[in-house]
Amino acid sequence: MIYPIVKYGNPVLGKIAEPVTTFDAELEKLVADMFETMYAAHGVGLAAPQIGISRQLCVIDTTVTDKLGTKLVLANPAVVSTEGRQVAEEGCLSLPDFRADTPRPERTTVRAQDVHGQEFTLSGQGLLARACCHEIDHLNGKLFIQHLSALKRDSIKRKVGKLVKAGEW
Ligand code: ZN
């Protein structure tokens, strides 16, 4: 099932998501739906709050841009450590058509649980590190524009405001 993706301005995107406590068939179905929704929207990552579900759950698939990429499910994830810095263009399915050079760590180590509740630790660099940071931010009520300069962020907010007024958001 493909869910509608909620956009910037929806309060669910600003909330700290609730932990996943039950690892059952319902969660597996939700994860499958999140992958389906993400692929349909041509994203490399999707967090549950982006479909209006305030839970500590996200999916990432960097094979979309790199055959040697990684496909993964992160439940209750946390960034354990980071290293270095990278700046690259970033976007968000909840801010369609807005992209901006965004600073992120070059390498990130994440601890999380998989869809069955099994704990694991994963280190990634480049796009994978970026995607992990971006999606985990969503679970903490943060969007990528919070990593931009106030000038750039305000410019995006103003443009979104205009789209809202025009009924196009
Ligand atoms: Zn996003």
Side-chain angles (χ1 to χ4, degrees), residues 5-9 13 46 49-50 92-96 138 143 169:
I5 293 175
V6 302
K7 289 182 185 171
Y8 170 63
L13 294 175
L46 184 76
Q50 292 183 277
C92 177
L93 296 176
S94 294
L95 271 156
H138 272 302
L143 296 176
W169 188 254

Side-chain angles (χ1 to χ4, degrees), residues 17-20 23 27 30-31 34 46-49 53-59 73-77 113-115 135 139:
E18 297 291 329
V20 176
F23 295 85
L27 186 73
L30 177 59
V31 163
M34 284 174 65
L46 184 76
I53 297 173
S54 192
R55 275 159 107 182
Q56 298 272 338
L57 180 69
C58 57
V59 297
V73 176
L74 301 174
N76 304 322
Q113 285 165 279
D114 69 13
V115 72
E135 299 314 326
L139 306 181

Side-chain angles (χ1 to χ4, degrees), residues 39-91:
Y39 294 135
H42 306 290
V44 298
L46 184 76
Q50 292 183 277
I51 54 168
I53 297 173
S54 192
R55 275 159 107 182
Q56 298 272 338
L57 180 69
C58 57
V59 297
I60 291 171
D61 189 352
T62 59
T63 65
V64 173
T65 56
D66 177 1
K67 276 198 170 61
L68 300 173
T70 308
K71 177 177 171 174
L72 73 158
V73 176
L74 301 174
N76 304 322
V79 174
V80 179
S81 65
T82 63
E83 217 177 282
R85 185 174 188 268
Q86 57 167 320
V87 178
E89 201 181 55
E90 193 167 314

